Amino acid sequence: MFIDQVKLYGVFGDPVAHSLSPHFQNEAFKLLGVNGLYLKFRITAEQLPAAIAAVRCLEFGGVNITIPHKEAVTPYLDRLEGDAKLTGSVNTILRRDDELIGYSTDGEGFLLSLRHQAGFEPRGKKVILLGVGGAARALAFRLVQEGIAALYLVGRDREKTERLCQALREKTGFSAEAVLFGTSRLKMIAAQAGLVVNTTPLGMYPETKLFPPFPLEDCPRDCLVCDLIYHPLTTTFLRRAGALKLPTLSGLGMLVYQGILACQIWTGLTPPFSPLYQLLEGILQQEEQ
Ligand code: NAP
């Protein structure tokens, strides 16, 4: 690395202490021969405008944006591209000359993991998303664009769940159905599902015994069950699905593909999947011991 020519990258969020992105991106830069340095920055809501101004004046190559700034950051950018424009949520910023451009790679990262890791094609499938937060929103908008047959959004708050259905309808014309956790409707939709995705944090380290209340036993045998959680690598939800002999997919692939997409946006180069997946898997396995 030539320190006088190094380009800075980073992740802005609060908290960011446990972010795997510096491990990922610094290894990706090394594999690609890119002279970049990626750091994590704990940025509070009050500090966000100054931090984004620093991206311009310190001439960062780009940054990732994580909880809780994905929506709050949009007014400080010059324009949004692709899914970010549709969802109003940004997780990757590219600085090109004086311009800051916002992207969202959540939905695309999930799709790449679905297709390449699970060999699953969502077109024509009935999809159930458990949870209606930021990740569910990104997945819902992306999956609708991929031509799914039906979408059920399962939340614990009726108003919030219906708000997401309404946003989807207004922006894409697609009618999703709002379903509440704990209702008998869940058994009926489970019986027709081709894809079920946990987008709630239920089961995430350290509360690994938790899982979303969903009748997996009613799903067809070929229904793919995904969890966006990657810590632990195999959640209780996925373990339960595995015990029922349903195919499963963890959140680690989505995380890795998002890192690859961010690196592509910044450098125009595509880092390889396998060594980066193994790097993060190794770090997580060590933490789980
Ligand atoms: P978020 O915006 O906070 O949304 C979380 C959703 O889960 C909300 O709808 C929330 O309900 C719901 N929820 C939380 N506790 C619940 C409970 N006890 N019962 C029922 N619903 C509950 O979070 P997010 O950004 O979407 O992230 C969600 C998860 O996805 C996290 O575990 C995150 O680590 C993971 N994720 C992974 C990747 C990846 O690359 N693998 C990417 C993004 C996110 P309310 O709406 O009622 O509050």
Side-chain angles (χ1 to χ4, degrees):
M1 181 194 295
F2 303 109
I3 206 73
D4 57 338
Q5 291 164 16
V6 73
K7 191 159 267 188
L8 274 180
Y9 298 86
V11 53
F12 292 175
D14 186 15
V16 281
H18 292 100
S19 173
L20 294 172
S21 297
H23 296 281
F24 181 97
Q25 294 298 350
N26 288 316
E27 182 63 17
F29 293 159
K30 200 164 90 190
L31 290 169
L32 294 170
V34 168
N35 192 15
L37 175 65
Y38 186 106
L39 302 168
K40 55 189 167 196
F41 298 90
R42 179 170 169 249
I43 302 292
T44 63
E46 297 71 40
Q47 293 167 331
L48 187 63
I52 297 299
V55 173
R56 290 182 202 270
C57 76
L58 299 180
E59 299 191 350
F60 274 62
V63 286
N64 285 128
I65 300 294
T66 187
I67 289 172
H69 306 313
K70 287 183 179 182
E71 287 171 23
V73 78
T74 56
Y76 306 105
L77 306 180
D78 299 301
R79 63 188 166 91
L80 305 181
E81 279 287 336
D83 282 2
K85 205 187 279 184
L86 204 57
T87 60
S89 171
V90 163
N91 69 357
T92 303
I93 298 173
L94 167 68
R95 186 190 65 80
R96 192 189 285 146
D97 303 320
D98 290 335
E99 201 180 27
L100 296 186
I101 309 162
Y103 297 83
S104 172
T105 62
D106 279 323
E108 189 61 26
F110 178 70
L111 264 190
L112 287 170
S113 174
L114 261 191
R115 289 197 169 121
H116 296 311
Q117 290 193 286
F120 184 91
E121 176 49 56
R123 180 169 295 277
K125 298 292 193 319
K126 295 186 174 173
V127 179
I128 300 176
L129 298 183
L130 307 177
V132 291
R137 187 183 178 85
L139 264 56
F141 274 90
R142 187 71 246 169
L143 286 164
V144 161
Q145 293 174 78
E146 297 301 316
I148 56 173
L151 179 61
Y152 304 95
L153 298 172
V154 183
R156 59 181 172 178
D157 178 290
R158 181 179 294 281
E159 263 181 45
K160 187 170 175 183
T161 309
E162 280 173 357
R163 262 206 309 278
L164 181 52
C165 290
Q166 193 184 340
L168 263 178
R169 207 164 29 247
E170 279 171 10
K171 294 207 170 173
T172 68
F174 189 95
S175 284
E177 180 181 330
V179 182
L180 288 181
F181 277 115
T183 58
S184 58
R185 179 82 179 126
L186 284 181
K187 282 179 89 63
M188 275 180 266
I189 62 171
Q192 302 169 26
L195 175 65
V196 177
V197 190
N198 176 33
T199 80
T200 77
L202 290 168
M204 192 161 69
Y205 182 84
E207 307 227 56
T208 55
K209 291 209 171 90
L210 298 182
F211 56 90
F214 182 77
L216 284 172
E217 62 282 4
D218 290 314
C219 292
R221 292 182 74 83
D222 61 348
C223 174
L224 177 65
V225 179
C226 305
D227 205 323
L228 297 196
I229 295 170
Y230 50 82
H231 189 21
L233 281 164
T234 307
T235 58
T236 300
F237 188 58
L238 291 192
R239 231 181 274 283
R240 289 167 67 93
L244 291 162
K245 306 241 178 327
L246 297 170
T248 61
L249 181 67
S250 95
L252 185 58
M254 171 178 172
L255 184 75
V256 170
Y257 276 115
Q258 289 204 65
I260 289 175
L261 290 167
C263 189
Q264 266 177 349
I265 289 168
W266 296 327
T267 67
L269 302 171
T270 305
F273 178 85
S274 295
L276 292 164
Y277 185 94
Q278 283 158 17
L279 173 78
L280 298 194
E281 188 181 41
I283 294 169
L284 290 167
Q285 278 167 348
Q286 260 184 359
E287 283 182 16
E288 283 171 26
Q289 275 167 13

